[in-house]
Amino acid sequence: MIRNEIKEICQLHEILSKRNIKHDFKKDEQDYCELIVEGKSNNPIFIIIQNPSLYQLKSEHLLVFDKIKDKVMYLTVQEALNKIFQAIHPIVTILLENLNSIQIELYPELCPNSVNGFIEAIEYHAFDNMAIERVVPNFVIQPWCDETKKSEFYQHVCDLEVNPDDNFEAFSVGLAGDGNKIGVPSCFFITVADAFHLNQKFTKVGRVISGFEELKRIESVELVDVPNDDGVAFKTPINDEIIETITLDLKDYQVKTCMKYLESSE
């Protein structure tokens, strides 16, 4: 049984383990707990400590040593998680023609093949100078939808990757797909409201971490309904909203070749 005095660091250890994030966890007989998160070349980037004696200073907080910034902090479990994720997760920046931007944090430990495919699409400049085709208020923003109007590159698919603990809350980033078995690495969407009906049907590759006001602006532009045979909600901006380009900060992430295929070849 975990003592209340060390439950926070044990909870952090459990979350990192479930997400396959590399770390080392130690606990001695006196309930001194130490958790080390490793970065490139196995160098520690965070050392996190919890000890009952520390509660004279801070209750329910972890003592976090940020080795990158040479900084000491007292953080909650969620705050510590956010710091760890921001340090190790690849960051995508969507640059719009109006000079505003949206940043996305990717989750390669949860869906590595899908993230690799999305990164490949970005490196291919698949979204450069692309007008955002689909905007559905209180639901989703999606750059493009109809693969029949795209080259063969955009028609490649990969197997669905889902995590039972990850939900499509507002500002989640997912890959389009058939809602069953496949995802499209070159076609992403951003939910602008909770969309839990997408859980387990589409791959969630990350979440928005900045640019919320820009997403709300796009969501509120003047739209026109687009007829379609798929029975999905489809509206498009009357005036083009252009993605100029998308850039990557991979951190220490090593991209691998995405296992994808043309659906018609299966």
Side-chain angles (χ1 to χ4, degrees):
M1 184 176 179
I2 298 173
R3 291 178 55 185
N4 284 337
E5 290 89 345
I6 59 168
K7 66 180 181 181
E8 285 81 20
I9 197 166
C10 291
Q11 180 185 354
L12 183 62
H13 166 57
E14 181 180 354
I15 295 171
L16 294 178
S17 297
K18 288 178 74 173
R19 293 185 71 119
N20 299 313
I21 292 176
K22 190 175 182 180
H23 69 286
D24 186 31
F25 180 66
K26 300 175 182 178
K27 182 172 93 68
D28 66 18
E29 294 179 356
Q30 284 73 46
D31 281 343
Y32 171 85
C33 295
E34 182 179 270
L35 189 152
I36 300 175
V37 181
E38 297 177 346
K40 194 173 183 179
S41 303
N42 298 323
N43 291 325
I45 54 175
F46 290 100
I47 299 176
I48 301 169
I49 295 171
Q50 186 164 31
N51 186 306
S53 65
L54 293 174
Y55 287 90
Q56 299 172 23
L57 300 174
K58 292 278 186 176
S59 178
E60 298 181 356
H61 281 64
L62 303 168
L63 183 61
V64 179
F65 295 87
D66 185 334
K67 301 294 288 184
I68 299 174
K69 297 181 179 179
D70 193 23
K71 187 177 179 181
V72 179
M73 301 164 284
Y74 281 101
L75 302 177
T76 64
V77 172
Q78 189 58 55
E79 289 169 343
L81 275 173
N82 290 341
K83 288 286 184 184
I84 293 168
F85 290 162
Q86 289 170 16
I88 66 174
H89 282 158
I91 300 296
V92 168
T93 302
I94 302 171
L95 300 172
L96 298 161
E97 193 177 58
N98 64 3
L99 304 182
N100 291 330
S101 64
I102 300 159
Q103 283 198 317
I104 296 167
E105 174 188 342
L106 299 180
Y107 298 156
E109 73 277 3
L110 295 182
C111 47
N113 193 55
S114 299
V115 166
N116 288 333
F118 184 36
I119 290 173
E120 283 182 9
I122 294 169
E123 292 179 333
Y124 182 77
H125 296 283
F127 309 102
D128 286 11
N129 303 309
M130 180 179 287
I132 296 172
E133 284 188 1
R134 187 184 182 206
V135 177
V136 182
N138 298 312
F139 179 36
V140 74
I141 294 172
Q142 186 173 340
W144 67 270
C145 302
D146 188 354
E147 70 277 3
T148 63
K149 299 178 181 178
K150 297 290 184 182
S151 67
E152 186 176 281
F153 176 86
Y154 296 88
Q155 298 176 39
H156 282 85
V157 300
C158 61
D159 291 339
L160 187 72
E161 292 178 287
V162 296
N163 186 296
D165 298 322
D166 228 352
N167 297 316
F168 275 94
E169 67 273 7
F171 304 111
S172 297
V173 181
L175 297 185
D178 65 354
N180 184 21
K181 295 182 178 179
I182 62 170
V184 183
S186 62
C187 187
F188 71 96
F189 62 85
I190 300 173
T191 59
V192 290
D194 291 342
F196 300 134
H197 63 286
L198 304 181
N199 293 355
Q200 313 306 306
K201 297 178 181 179
F202 296 87
T203 300
K204 179 178 174 179
V205 294
R207 68 183 181 101
V208 175
I209 57 173
S210 71
F212 301 102
E213 290 304 314
E214 182 63 9
L215 288 170
K216 289 184 180 298
R217 185 196 66 79
I218 295 171
E219 185 186 8
S220 66
V221 300
E222 191 173 358
L223 304 169
V224 61
D225 288 315
V226 178
N228 66 89
D229 298 326
D230 298 325
V232 298
F234 198 145
K235 297 175 182 288
T236 197
I238 290 179
N239 298 310
D240 287 346
E241 296 290 334
I242 305 293
I243 296 173
E244 187 172 283
T245 192
I246 301 182
T247 63
L248 285 164
D249 179 1
L250 294 176
K251 307 291 179 63
D252 293 334
Y253 182 62
Q254 301 297 311
V255 183
K256 297 181 180 179
T257 301
C258 175
M259 302 300 292
K260 58 186 179 181
Y261 51 89
L262 288 172
E263 190 178 10
S264 58
S265 67
E266 289 296 295

